[in-house]
Amino acid sequence: MEGITKLPVGEQVEQFLLIKQATKGVTTVGKPFMSLILQDKSGDIEAKLWDTNEEHENMYKAETIVRVGGEIHDYRGKNQLRIKQIRVARPEEGIQVSDLVPSSAIPKEQLMEELTQFFFEIKNPNISRITRHLIKKHQPSLLVHPAATKNHHDYVSGLLDHVVSMLRLGKAIAELYPSLNTDLLYAGIILHDIGKVVELTGPIATTYTIEGNLLGHITIMVNEIGQAATELNIEGEEVMLLQHLVLSHHGKEEWGSPKKPMIQEAEILHYIDNIDAKMNMLKRALDKTKPGEFTERLFPLDNRSFYKPTI
Amino acid sequence: MEGITKLPVGEQVEQFLLIKQATKGVTTVGKPFMSLILQDKSGDIEAKLWDTNEEHENMYKAETIVRVGGEIHDYRGKNQLRIKQIRVARPEEGIQVSDLVPSSAIPKEQLMEELTQFFFEIKNPNISRITRHLIKKHQPSLLVHPAATKNHHDYVSGLLDHVVSMLRLGKAIAELYPSLNTDLLYAGIILHDIGKVVELTGPIATTYTIEGNLLGHITIMVNEIGQAATELNIEGEEVMLLQHLVLSHHGKEEWGSPKKPMIQEAEILHYIDNIDAKMNMLKRALDKTKPGEFTERLFPLDNRSFYKPTI
Amino acid sequence: MEGITKLPVGEQVEQFLLIKQATKGVTTVGKPFMSLILQDKSGDIEAKLWDTNEEHENMYKAETIVRVGGEIHDYRGKNQLRIKQIRVARPEEGIQVSDLVPSSAIPKEQLMEELTQFFFEIKNPNISRITRHLIKKHQPSLLVHPAATKNHHDYVSGLLDHVVSMLRLGKAIAELYPSLNTDLLYAGIILHDIGKVVELTGPIATTYTIEGNLLGHITIMVNEIGQAATELNIEGEEVMLLQHLVLSHHGKEEWGSPKKPMIQEAEILHYIDNIDAKMNMLKRALDKTKPGEFTERLFPLDNRSFYKPTI
Amino acid sequence: MEGITKLPVGEQVEQFLLIKQATKGVTTVGKPFMSLILQDKSGDIEAKLWDTNEEHENMYKAETIVRVGGEIHDYRGKNQLRIKQIRVARPEEGIQVSDLVPSSAIPKEQLMEELTQFFFEIKNPNISRITRHLIKKHQPSLLVHPAATKNHHDYVSGLLDHVVSMLRLGKAIAELYPSLNTDLLYAGIILHDIGKVVELTGPIATTYTIEGNLLGHITIMVNEIGQAATELNIEGEEVMLLQHLVLSHHGKEEWGSPKKPMIQEAEILHYIDNIDAKMNMLKRALDKTKPGEFTERLFPLDNRSFYKPTI
Amino acid sequence: MEGITKLPVGEQVEQFLLIKQATKGVTTVGKPFMSLILQDKSGDIEAKLWDTNEEHENMYKAETIVRVGGEIHDYRGKNQLRIKQIRVARPEEGIQVSDLVPSSAIPKEQLMEELTQFFFEIKNPNISRITRHLIKKHQPSLLVHPAATKNHHDYVSGLLDHVVSMLRLGKAIAELYPSLNTDLLYAGIILHDIGKVVELTGPIATTYTIEGNLLGHITIMVNEIGQAATELNIEGEEVMLLQHLVLSHHGKEEWGSPKKPMIQEAEILHYIDNIDAKMNMLKRALDKTKPGEFTERLFPLDNRSFYKPTI
Amino acid sequence: MEGITKLPVGEQVEQFLLIKQATKGVTTVGKPFMSLILQDKSGDIEAKLWDTNEEHENMYKAETIVRVGGEIHDYRGKNQLRIKQIRVARPEEGIQVSDLVPSSAIPKEQLMEELTQFFFEIKNPNISRITRHLIKKHQPSLLVHPAATKNHHDYVSGLLDHVVSMLRLGKAIAELYPSLNTDLLYAGIILHDIGKVVELTGPIATTYTIEGNLLGHITIMVNEIGQAATELNIEGEEVMLLQHLVLSHHGKEEWGSPKKPMIQEAEILHYIDNIDAKMNMLKRALDKTKPGEFTERLFPLDNRSFYKPTI
């Protein structure tokens, strides 16, 4: 099966899909309808369900798996799914939510294994113990959490994928600039975004938690580092340095870091985070673009369209 | 005694002073000298010591009490002290550092008593316990710490003075806008700046600590609230709300708050902090200004000069 | 009667309403309709009138009182009124526009009485005479004008409500910071927004006048203070100070004040104005929000959503 | 006589000069001296007077004419005057302040005559009467006032020079874009900066008045237009339009205009003002620069250095 | 014939029109339609074609001439064309695209003649040869290219119209400020925007080319000046100065000029460009506005609405 | 020999030094002196020469090699050299300027060899030919030019050092993100700053050329790419892409790039440039800092001080 986002206009559809989002609407002449975002592993597509009633609204909620028959058509330059039949999937059909959500290309266990290897490179015992403690504590969530609600690494295991990709880049940079302290750099990369397992609700239909809104993943993680140090009876500059790395990784106050980077590893951490996030967005956008054409506008990249060369 | 900052040009000086800052210099023709900032309770004044040597440099260091004879003269529109005699004070003369530093007009015990009264107004037990716990923990420092290195409430007990003044204003505002939750508002006022007892070195020759530079008083206090909750076995929304109040009290990301205020008490806390700091700066500047004239430029007030009306 | 904005979805409606705004439209298939904003004292609601013609357009204009039968339904998460019958109210039914517009909770006469009490606190005769003169001149409008077209105090007598609320806050602040000149502060509060009686059209279907657009309420009032001084033969610094208070009350050039505050009373006036406007917006938004949820985004508060705590 | 600013290093000086500014100083070894800014028609030069006492300070004040003997020398790349003899000029020597201050190249009477010609081009009687009334009222000051304390047209009759130069440019532009209303444009040009006769102290040793600081020339003139209309019993849109032209001529709120230009003549007025001010600054800076070199940095032109081509 | 944009609501239409833009759409109930932008010399109007199919989509493409019968109606405050009949124009009907696109009021040959006259005013042979060479090279495009895709001079020969209008203004300014080098100023005006003949696709259905997007008209022209100098064997400061004039004409880095103006002619060129573009936009907007009313919001003029006075 | 910047206070000096900068001065009491910046391979130090005359000024000019005897002393916290004897070096002493200027740690021939290896990795013949052509053309300058006048890579061969360091980083990144086109990335890195050989005067006493000021290294290089393509008869998208890479490498308009990066290789080039420049600055600053202390403020890093951890 090709995946719902890969089908051309006119193609017939008959498959299981997950409702990612469901919104009620009324047409300009007052008729009720539902607007659904349906997804499988390839991504998501919009669909309309006409002449709906309260029963439909209760049945077709977010996170429900449905069996849909229909056809792909073009609506204002974007593909849509015209629904002909729809029903809720039956338990005996054995479809899991995890079968229908995009996830990292590399299996999460393999990513976790690669992350674990970096623990052996952290020599400082205080840094090592705090980092291991926090990864162990959040491991179940970390295995599946996305790194964001949208834009980059916004899929199952996206957070872990992002962290491992950054570790690879961090290692390459540290080899070229040996004045960097790899204990701090690797621990900073591993911990910088783990607060997102509290800030975001989870891998499906991801939104912000109240704590995520009021405190944010940076503050959440800075607190957890402090708590971990207390629990492990660790004192010393390492605690403050790890907190500073997490605290400053957005690079500037207006981007949510209450302090700018003030150690060189924090400065480089900010760059590594940026490069990895941008390459993830660019790859995705360019994969959908033909040579000689421009991508759609990418909001987090200053709303730029990127050109795909023909050479 | 009038105080060193109140004496007119030409006046003879013969008194004890505290060295607040001592810097070595060399004249353009190569002769060594020392530039001293000397203070008593009224404030500080600059003085030069000519033809100094290493012995002088060792003797006249910051935080040393000296006996000085000399005369006030005018140097580029500001008063300076021309030193004629200087010697280190003798222990038997019984002068304390605390006799020679500016401090709040109201005794610190009375300020602390006034702050304590507000505990009785906090009804929510979780909020009350966390707040009392942290005030008790930091009480010794809180009694003497300044609120800043310069600009506003930058004197002994300045932090306590600022907090109590804000509590009075908070109470007045809460009476006019009864939808405000006074438990949150008073606890927010009490806790918002306590992190400064870690961020700043202390009441004499105040500078930033390393932790102050790398984490800042906001993050320090948010961490302490979390630790206090753990120690006191408190869970619930109150912890997050207190952390949010402290976190957001600078009002904007570019001013060092990783989140903008998102509860109404946090929004008002930001305003109360601002009004009290500005009134403190304006009072000080206008006290030195004659009616019909402008104050010196006040950097933290957008570098404005304020006019003192003649009416 | 509960008020049109308080009715739940599904409720039948049969009441008088005021047309606040009427706009013609065409559906995507070319059929004409009208979009009405209907209001009573509780606020306003949107309604559609289908298959309309020119006769309807002439009949159902802004500021017309109508008798409407219909039902509340939900359109994209907001309540709408489905109109079943509609007709223009008859004179003999005795409904006044004033019966159908939101207004301040406290009667306008009582607000004016409270404002008047503050005249007795202004000791300086020049300030007192100019302020009384201008209030007297604009009293009829001041009794009913809103303070804005939307956002805060945008109801009948909203301007007066705002001014009186600010006076109460000003009095509380002046008691805590006695260096403030209450003559200047109270006169500044009373006069700062009176220019809005010229800038805005009036309490119903409020829009900007041409003079409001080209000059603005600040300039309009600064001119009126000058004219009042001429008429009353008053000279002296008071005239300039009152003009400066009005001129600078937006706080910054980019917010429309050609000069920043340069006397302390002007600085505090700006804060009082801000606090009162924000508390008014926050109260209204939080009243519509359940504990544990966020308000809608509030544009003039940096587009923030505020959280309503559960404690 | 060449003028003090045109003399090369090493040249002997023996002439009358006006003290523009006098400041007391103390050397790093404590000896008093005075720093003088001395001027003649060609501009100004700095000079030091060593080993001064109180008598010197009373004698050599700003706006005093002195007879100076000395020599031009180079101090950090700028010419200075080394004073050998100095004395206050005697009344019988008959030197006037006006003999020693820079002024417009064209006589002020001729400039006023040229301005007056533009009255004949203003056809609308209301605009014409208000404009004539205000020019007549301020004519004595307008004949001699500078347009600024520094940067551009900062000399005797500089304001008039600036206005007349703008009128010429306005006429040229209006001929190319005939949709412009010349009545509004010419009156806007004539009135836009007249408030400076109140904002600035006068042509010698120019500083800001208190009213200039607290209200600014824009507000001062907007008020005067209103007062003039009252005195002349003029009502109608013209008053508001003239006020808007003056109000908006700085172009943006952050540059001190409470409203941006909202009629096309106001937009063009802002451009004409800018071009004329910049050409005046550029001419002056380039006149002092050799081909193939850069001017000094020009602060009001974004701190740029301009290149003087060799072609 | 009046022109399609001048007809009042209700008027019958029967004329040839050019399809400027054609977009497919689907109604909220799923029916396909086409949205057309149709134009004649007077400007453009929107029209809907209902119940369309693939055949229509192939027939009614951008740049096709059609014969349309229908009626003007009002859609949300803007005129629309209700299509009753439509067919593609037949070759034998002899209608040209050029008959149906807006163009400069003055014939392009006359504009080019006026531009050519300015060559005689350029005395410096290097400047003259480079300028003539580039105008000759691009003359065919220059005769018809617009200056922009929208906002100002966005019609056939709009670029030439803009350049000639700027030359007239440049000449007027140079007469008033004789320190300006007219060789540089006129050559700068002539060349500044010629890169648009490469940046934009052409006069019909104008869009950006890939080179336009990736390099921009400024860089394109700076390169061409360099290439021209090489071809003509010209060396010397003139080449750099012409490149600088083109390079800096947007005035600031954030507006796309990698260097700010650093010669006075470049500074003035930036102003002339701005004034001419703004007058073009203002004229167009005010022509559509009644006295006493405001224009629509003009996005490139800070989104302002301009008032059209009644005097 | 240790190098002049490594000597402690009190140390005797007797060595050859290069005058980097020489400025005349006058003391506050009018005595002439010279302020010299003297350098050897380790960096530079300030020195004063008292009681100088015209002969000294002619003898001790920038780029002169001198033999100096003296002593290191401390002036306001920075080391200075107190000169006891000074004379110009004699030709027979055989000291070269190149013996006394800082340069890259790796020999320039080795750096050039490493750069050359990357040519073999560029497969596209058009990109390869243009890049080789330009490197060959500028090779003599490229071998010795600095990358800046100060801040980073501001030493002999600094430009080449920077380019090679970036190539290493580019290679590491391209291996992790294989969607990157290495032909474009490597060519972009090699060419991006070569325009500096025209923008800056050379490796000794580096300043900006006129062309550097008026056009800048970005525009200079974009032009050269175009000229190279013409000379080599190369057409095709590669020319435009190389020009875009150079054009956009500052990342934003306000940083001097007339276009933001619009291909992914340009985006990454900007990051690589930034990381390498910042690591160079940070290394230099941290090398001079003790663990547990902060570096001096680094202006191009937002004026931050960086902390050097003790772990």
Side-chain angles (χ1 to χ4, degrees), chain E residues 40-57:
Chain E
D40 64 11
K41 278 201 156 301
S42 73
D44 55 50
I45 192 167
E46 200 174 348
K48 301 283 187 217
L49 205 58
W50 301 107
D51 287 315
T52 50
N53 54 36
E54 215 171 300
E55 193 186 348
H56 294 102
E57 290 162 15

Side-chain angles (χ1 to χ4, degrees), chain C residues 80-125:
Chain C
Q80 257 197 11
L81 172 54
R82 197 168 311 172
I83 298 176
K84 294 174 180 169
Q85 304 94 34
I86 181 168
R87 65 167 172 81
V88 176
R90 297 177 203 114
E92 65 270 24
E93 290 173 321
I95 309 297
Q96 307 297 321
V97 165
S98 60
D99 299 334
L100 295 170
V101 286
S103 63
S104 63
I106 304 175
K108 58 182 183 292
E109 294 77 13
Q110 189 177 327
L111 290 169
M112 185 54 84
E113 173 58 28
E114 192 171 345
L115 184 154
T116 307
Q117 290 307 310
F118 276 85
F119 286 142
F120 300 106
E121 311 235 4
I122 300 179
K123 305 305 178 200
N124 178 299

